[in-house]
Amino acid sequence: MTRIDAKFARLKAEGKKAFVSYVMAGDPDFDTSLELVKGLPAAGVDVIELGLPFTDPMADGPTIQLAGQRALDRGMTLDRTLDLVRAFREADTETPIVLMGYYNPIYSRTVPKFLEQAKAAGIDGLIVVDLPPEEDEELCIPAQAAGLNFIRLATPTTDDKRLPKVLQNTSGFVYYVSITGITGAAEAQATDVGPEVARIKAQTDLPVIVGFGIRTPEAAETIASVADGCVVGSAIVGELASGKSVSEVLAFVKGLADGAHRA
């Protein structure tokens, strides 16, 4: 059982919804990023999604693209991202961390070496947005053999014919993308999301967590109420980009987490 599995089992036993936060590793610099990540669990974050900076982030909207560019400009790399995770794990051995990014840096490292290093650093799961289920032998199956969850995205365009393929080797949780398009592009609507979550849950026992388009505590509560929890990324990254201090960003995160936990 991974930390992710254990966390969702505990939340289910407590009758609570999950709050997942996304932040970009190294944005705006290594030390600030580490301080922010270290503060997330106390702000109510159940699972940390950590972005791996990449030069061509095709699924990300402007807010997260700019965060990745800031991190790259300050020298953030895959190795430094793993350093950040190791530093976080010195004080926190319980909060799950999901590394979210693109396949190119992993491919360049080689899959066996990357998985060994990621597991040793304290990463619990992966979201790799540019590897479809047809490429499961490439990373998904080796990752799960190494003890890492491989989390897959389902979207409004994932029809009933495609959904079983998407769910086939997914573990940890299913990430339902509430809108069609890039991150930060529109607002999620519970009336649209609820039936889609039910459709997915009819085919899997995994928790379904909804992301994209959630910016307020009220939205977090509303969306979490029709799913097993919610993810917020662009809104948090945007707060940091606006010049807010780490403590101010964490206060914003706490509001979102409280909203999700009220659901």
Side-chain angles (χ1 to χ4, degrees), residues 120-162:
I123 289 169
D124 305 292
L126 302 173
I127 299 175
V128 182
V129 296
D130 53 348
L131 274 183
E134 285 75 16
E135 305 295 335
D136 275 358
E137 295 287 345
E138 193 82 16
L139 179 63
C140 172
I141 291 169
Q144 306 215 77
L148 296 173
N149 290 124
F150 198 89
I151 295 136
R152 188 83 68 194
L153 306 182
T155 75
T157 59
T158 308
D159 61 20
D160 287 337
K161 183 179 178 183
R162 179 67 173 167

Side-chain angles (χ1 to χ4, degrees), residues 215-217 232 235-236 239 247-257:
R215 299 183 168 278
T216 65
V232 179
I236 296 169
E239 287 289 298
S247 60
E248 287 173 318
V249 176
L250 289 171
F252 177 73
V253 172
K254 186 177 186 307
L256 295 165

Side-chain angles (χ1 to χ4, degrees), residues 95-238:
T95 305
I97 294 180
V98 176
L99 189 67
M100 182 172 186
Y102 298 83
Y103 186 45
N104 186 281
I106 297 168
Y107 177 79
S108 299
R109 178 63 46 98
T110 75
V111 167
K113 189 173 182 182
F114 166 76
L115 291 175
E116 181 184 349
Q117 292 175 338
K119 181 77 174 169
I123 289 169
D124 305 292
L126 302 173
I127 299 175
V128 182
V129 296
D130 53 348
L131 274 183
E134 285 75 16
E135 305 295 335
D136 275 358
E137 295 287 345
E138 193 82 16
L139 179 63
C140 172
I141 291 169
Q144 306 215 77
L148 296 173
N149 290 124
F150 198 89
I151 295 136
R152 188 83 68 194
L153 306 182
T155 75
T157 59
T158 308
D159 61 20
D160 287 337
K161 183 179 178 183
R162 179 67 173 167
L163 186 58
K165 186 74 173 174
V166 169
L167 297 174
Q168 184 173 277
N169 292 312
T170 299
S171 67
F173 61 92
V174 178
Y175 187 138
Y176 179 68
V177 177
S178 63
I179 56 173
T180 303
I182 55 175
T183 57
E187 190 171 323
Q189 301 295 332
T191 50
D192 298 327
V193 170
E196 290 297 294
V197 170
R199 183 169 69 91
I200 296 167
K201 290 182 76 67
Q203 297 200 37
T204 181
D205 293 330
L206 291 171
V208 180
I209 307 300
V210 177
F212 286 45
I214 302 166
R215 299 183 168 278
T216 65
E218 294 74 23
E221 180 177 3
T222 302
I223 296 298
S225 72
V226 297
D228 295 302
C230 66
V231 185
V232 179
S234 293
I236 296 169
V237 173

